[in-house]
Amino acid sequence: MAVREVLVYPDPRLKQVCRAVGEFDDEVTQLITDLLDTMYAAGHSVGVAAPQIGSDLRVVVVDVSHSKLGRDDNHGCLVMVNPEILEREGAKVMREGCMSVPDYTGNVTRAEKILVQFIDADGIERVVRARGFEAVAIQHELDHLDGLLFLDRVSSLKTDVFRRKRR
Ligand code: NI
């Protein structure tokens, strides 16, 4: 297991479009472990995507079960390999943060409900219906696989992005 350094904007590796996972080899297994370790070590994090730790494979982890906004409606720890959103419904604006954009948050509009298909950590294909905060977190993480940050999703960098208060 290893907690990995999280790349920070404007690192060019955050802009890459990731490639699909072929077979579950050691690289993929290790990547999943490192993503989980990195997410849980951060404490407040509800998801991490492979490019954030320097990999170009289509893998993300999401777990909103420990967060105030997501604890009542979630699927626990989700390891998502080659994820794909099949359906989107509704719209919801939420204030988003990202470990790769540590100094800012932003208001982003995303689907309120999604149907997402992926391969889990055991290599099993799954389809999950997510809504609310969990759906937003999944959409945020999947964006990373296509080189998109929440900064690319805000309507206006002037009015929808906010500097975090210093801790
Ligand atoms: Ni992020």
Side-chain angles (χ1 to χ4, degrees), residues 1-117:
M1 60 180 276
V3 175
R4 302 267 294 271
E5 183 194 345
V6 175
L7 304 181
V8 172
Y9 174 84
D11 191 301
R13 286 169 288 180
L14 293 168
K15 300 306 294 177
Q16 66 193 337
V17 175
C18 296
R19 61 195 166 92
V21 170
E23 57 182 307
F24 268 49
D25 56 12
D26 289 348
E27 183 190 4
V28 174
T29 309
Q30 186 64 53
L31 174 61
I32 290 170
T33 305
D34 289 355
L35 285 168
L36 291 170
D37 290 345
T38 303
M39 173 172 69
Y40 290 123
H44 58 277
S45 173
V46 295
V48 184
Q52 292 182 277
I53 60 170
S55 162
D56 68 342
L57 288 170
R58 298 189 79 82
V59 182
V60 307
V61 296
V62 172
D63 185 352
V64 302
S65 66
H66 306 289
S67 71
K68 195 168 63 182
L69 291 171
R71 68 184 167 208
D72 294 333
D73 195 351
N74 64 75
H75 293 83
C77 176
L78 291 169
V79 173
M80 312 176 107
V81 176
N82 296 345
E84 200 175 331
I85 294 175
L86 304 177
E87 290 173 22
R88 295 178 167 78
E89 199 185 319
K92 185 178 180 64
V93 180
M94 284 195 83
R95 184 75 71 92
E96 295 188 16
C98 179
M99 284 201 286
S100 294
V101 189
D103 295 335
Y104 296 91
T105 60
N107 286 335
V108 181
T109 305
R110 301 201 189 262
E112 210 278 322
K113 296 178 185 173
I114 58 169
L115 184 66
V116 60
Q117 174 184 297

Side-chain angles (χ1 to χ4, degrees), residues 108-158:
V108 181
T109 305
R110 301 201 189 262
E112 210 278 322
K113 296 178 185 173
I114 58 169
L115 184 66
V116 60
Q117 174 184 297
F118 57 95
I119 301 164
D120 72 12
D122 298 318
I124 314 273
E125 189 168 292
R126 288 180 63 187
V127 176
V128 161
R129 225 172 255 288
R131 61 179 189 175
F133 187 55
E134 185 180 49
V136 167
I138 291 170
Q139 291 170 82
H140 174 115
E141 296 312 327
L142 265 54
D143 263 359
H144 278 295
L145 303 181
D146 292 319
L148 296 171
L149 299 172
F150 75 79
L151 297 172
D152 300 305
R153 292 287 192 191
V154 297
S155 313
S156 158
L157 287 170
K158 274 195 186 130

